[in-house]
Amino acid sequence: NFLVSLSIFILINLEHTSQSQYISSFDSNTSQTNAKIVPLKSDKFTIVSTCYNKTENTSTICADFRNSNYPKISIWKGFLKTPSNSYFFGEANAISLSNGNIAIVYTESTSSDIFMQLRSENTTDAFSIPYSNILTDNERVNFYNNGRQKAPKVLNLNSDKFLIFWQSYFQNGSHYALNAKILFNSGEIVKEDFNINQKATKLPSTQ
């Protein structure tokens, strides 16, 4: 009937309005690109992105932590890497691991390598900076570094391991090969940089 149709219309529009909110910003001089929403434990999520400050000509990896029940309000937002104007951070990706750690992978333009940062959640104080404990910082992921490494992705494998994979330029004599590395959730290496296929023109979806 009319009331049912009206209610459905209102719900659809409320849902659309909620999904269209402009929820993450730092300041008028900072642009954010390549944003990824990462679900975390304890009803939280974070928005990880590459940030560029136009005034200072610096780039960094940004994070904006929020509560899923109050998604419009930041718990904490700031830089996961110290802003730099000597090299450019980019292509950031992140994932929440099964043990509660968060793994962030990114590229760095000076070396054209893949790097990883591993953080653990600080659960001792509900008002402390989320994931303030850095376990591993600026660790190079790729072993081969004579060509360009790009487009890193990260996936959970099982209860104690995760996988990082990326495109490696001219490593195997082809244009782009697809390489990977397996690590324990603690950051210890299970299997070093290895080749998945000899030629990759496009990375597969992580879904």
Side-chain angles (χ1 to χ4, degrees), residues 29-180:
N29 293 319
T30 301
S31 60
Q32 292 173 257
T33 59
N34 199 40
K36 300 289 188 303
I37 295 178
V38 185
L40 306 173
K41 63 181 183 179
S42 305
D43 296 322
K44 299 184 184 74
F45 70 95
T46 185
I47 303 167
V48 176
S49 60
T50 301
C51 286
Y52 175 72
N53 187 297
K54 293 171 283 188
T55 302
E56 299 177 1
N57 193 31
T58 58
S59 71
T60 185
I61 305 299
C62 296
D64 189 342
F65 291 89
R66 294 171 182 256
N67 189 307
S68 300
N69 298 315
Y70 306 97
K72 297 180 183 179
I73 302 173
S74 290
I75 300 172
W76 175 86
K77 61 182 178 180
F79 304 140
L80 299 181
K81 298 294 300 178
T82 302
S84 172
N85 58 9
S86 60
Y87 42 78
F88 183 78
F89 295 110
E91 300 182 305
N93 262 287
I95 194 170
S96 178
L97 305 176
S98 56
N99 67 344
N101 290 346
I102 182 171
I104 304 106
V105 293
Y106 52 92
T107 58
E108 188 260 278
S109 63
T110 302
S111 62
S112 296
D113 288 325
I114 308 294
F115 290 90
M116 177 188 74
Q117 185 182 90
L118 193 64
R119 290 177 174 245
S120 64
E121 184 176 24
N122 187 342
T123 57
T124 58
D125 182 359
F127 298 99
S128 64
I129 297 173
Y131 292 93
S132 58
N133 301 323
I134 299 177
L135 302 176
T136 300
D137 189 25
N138 210 45
E139 179 176 321
R140 197 179 81 188
V141 173
N142 53 289
F143 179 77
Y144 173 83
N145 65 343
N146 290 332
R148 184 186 178 195
Q149 320 299 310
K150 62 179 287 188
K153 308 287 183 183
V154 58
L155 291 171
N156 276 308
L157 288 182
N158 51 33
S159 60
D160 65 345
K161 300 181 187 71
F162 67 100
L163 172 84
I164 303 172
F165 62 104
W166 66 94
Q167 287 179 323
S168 180
Y169 187 66
F170 274 142
Q171 179 166 350
N172 295 285
S174 62
H175 186 63
Y176 272 110
L178 190 61
N179 277 39

